[in-house]
């Protein structure tokens, strides 16, 4: 089973990516991406899933059974590097999205079971942080972290400058019932500036029973069922990715690969 889902031209609904637990061979995470034209309407039923709708680029009006969020959105490209507008939709709900401009919309989903209401996640609600140092710097927007209410979903977006690495030093979160890490499936929705760029992403385990390296291009999705999953950008191309994670415990707890953990230490960057 391939871990790389290539970008597809928009179908009649505007969908360009469709990852389900069945297609990914796992249990929790689903991910869809849409490119909608101005005035186009998208209607979704959440069913037994909770949803997080992320406006990657563009403007929209969003309505659920019990809430309305008209005229949301600000950034017209993710590379404006401002936090996005998002909408949380609980299970058993219906949502209608009207594109108020050309719209790139991500629909993240995972099992839902609670009684949370639909809510707007505005840019001011998004935690912004810089991580790393040296050639391992990145900008992080915490859209739906584990200290904000949801049943299963964790959602974050990350910016990595040309020539830098992220999701690094290599780390993993694939153990259940461990005091050191949680089991979290994960998707990466990649974007590039300029758009013809690509990055290299490797997904691998300690015993190398899984060891794949992929060239992810614009609007491709990489699925991470287990193991380490670093991303390396190439000169000339800045990278954005939207991460969706979910598992049996809604907590992001991971372990570093021992060989590369030193990159977190005072030894790095090493003196020249």
């Amino acid at each position: 089973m391939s871990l790389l889902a290539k970008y597809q031209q928009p179908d009649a609904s505007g969908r360009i990516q469709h990852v389900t637990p069945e297609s990914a061979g796992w249990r929790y995470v689903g991910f869809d991406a849409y490119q909608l034209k101005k005035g186009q309407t998208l209607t979704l039923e959440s069913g037994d899933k909770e949803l997080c709708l992320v406006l990657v680029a563009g403007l929209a009006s969003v309505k659920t059974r019990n809430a309305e969020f008209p005229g949301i959105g600000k950034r017209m490209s993710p590379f404006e590097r401002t936090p996005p507008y998002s909408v949380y939709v609980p299970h058993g709900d219906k949502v209608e999205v009207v594109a108020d401009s050309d719209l790139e919309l991500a629909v993240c989903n995972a099992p839902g079971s609670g009684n949370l209401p639909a809510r707007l996640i505005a840019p001011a609600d998004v935690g912004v942080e810089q991580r790393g140092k040296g050639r391992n710097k990145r900008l992080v927007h915490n859209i739906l972290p584990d200290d904000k209410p949801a049943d299963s979903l964790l959602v974050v977006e990350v910016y990595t400058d040309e020539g830098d690495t992220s999701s690094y030093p290599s780390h993993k979160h694939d153990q259940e019932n461990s005091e050191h890490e949680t089991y979290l499936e994960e998707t990466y929705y990649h974007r590039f500036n300029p758009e013809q760029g690509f990055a290299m992403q490797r997904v691998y385990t300690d015993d190398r029973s899984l060891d794949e390296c992929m060239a992810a291009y614009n609007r491709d999705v990489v699925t991470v069922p287990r193991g380490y999953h670093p991303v390396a950008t190439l000169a000339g191309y800045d990278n954005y990715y939207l991460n969706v994670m979910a598992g049996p415990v809604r907590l992001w707890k991971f372990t570093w690969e021992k060989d590369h953990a030193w990159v977190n230490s005072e030894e790095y960057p090493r003196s020249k």
Side-chain angles (χ1 to χ4, degrees):
M1 182 181 296
S2 175
L3 303 184
L4 180 64
K6 299 296 294 179
Y7 164 78
Q8 302 294 319
Q9 289 293 321
D11 65 13
S13 70
R15 190 165 63 188
I16 59 173
Q17 284 286 357
H18 181 50
V19 176
T20 67
E22 292 75 23
S23 69
W26 58 31
R27 293 176 282 164
Y28 296 95
V29 171
F31 178 80
D32 294 284
Y34 295 83
Q35 286 181 289
L36 304 179
K37 295 296 187 182
K38 182 178 180 180
Q40 190 171 354
T41 298
L42 175 68
T43 302
L44 302 169
E45 298 269 0
S46 60
D48 61 355
K49 311 289 188 182
E50 62 178 358
L51 311 178
C52 182
L53 280 56
V54 180
L55 277 63
V56 177
L59 314 174
S61 294
V62 179
K63 179 169 64 175
T64 70
R65 286 197 173 101
N66 299 305
E68 293 189 27
F69 310 105
I72 62 173
K74 182 177 181 182
R75 71 185 192 191
M76 302 308 291
S77 163
F79 292 98
E80 293 175 22
R81 299 194 179 211
T82 58
Y85 280 81
S86 304
V87 175
Y88 173 85
V89 180
H91 71 100
D93 208 339
K94 181 178 181 179
V95 59
E96 180 183 90
V97 180
V98 178
D100 296 333
S101 71
D102 287 353
L103 176 67
E104 184 173 357
L105 178 72
V107 180
C108 320
N109 74 74
S113 59
N115 297 305
L116 294 170
R119 72 179 189 274
L120 178 68
I121 304 172
D125 302 319
V126 176
V128 178
E129 61 176 310
Q130 295 279 350
R131 292 183 191 160
K133 56 185 177 179
R135 307 312 308 178
N136 193 42
K137 291 179 181 175
R138 58 271 197 212
L139 171 67
V140 177
H141 291 160
N142 291 302
I143 297 167
L144 195 56
D146 58 18
D147 62 351
K148 300 294 184 180
D151 297 329
S152 302
L153 279 170
L154 299 165
V155 182
V156 63
E157 58 181 18
V158 177
Y159 295 87
T160 312
D161 291 336
E162 57 164 325
D164 288 352
T165 57
S166 61
S167 290
Y168 188 80
S170 300
H171 67 274
K172 69 183 184 74
H173 37 75
D174 60 11
Q175 296 298 307
E176 296 190 49
N177 304 313
S178 167
E179 62 179 297
H180 303 294
E181 60 185 277
T182 46
Y183 173 87
L184 294 169
E185 303 156 356
E186 186 168 17
T187 56
Y188 281 67
Y189 176 65
H190 284 280
R191 293 280 270 104
F192 294 92
N193 184 31
E195 288 194 351
Q196 71 269 27
F198 67 97
M200 304 303 296
Q201 184 160 15
R202 184 183 178 201
V203 180
Y204 63 103
T205 56
D206 284 313
D207 64 4
R208 303 302 190 263
S209 60
L210 174 61
D211 193 352
E212 292 193 25
C213 190
M214 293 150 282
Y217 281 80
N218 204 42
R219 298 188 175 93
D220 287 350
V221 171
V222 173
T223 58
V224 181
R226 63 187 186 279
Y228 309 105
H229 39 277
V231 175
T233 67
L234 301 181
Y237 299 99
D238 293 336
N239 173 236
Y240 160 98
Y241 53 75
L242 178 69
N243 285 142
V244 184
M245 293 182 284
V249 178
R250 190 173 177 267
L251 180 67
W252 185 48
K253 198 172 183 180
F254 59 86
T255 56
W256 305 108
E257 185 179 12
K258 293 179 181 178
D259 286 348
H260 310 304
W262 71 272
V263 176
N264 291 316
S265 73
E266 294 303 317
E267 298 177 59
Y268 181 81
R270 291 176 288 188
S271 58
K272 295 183 175 66

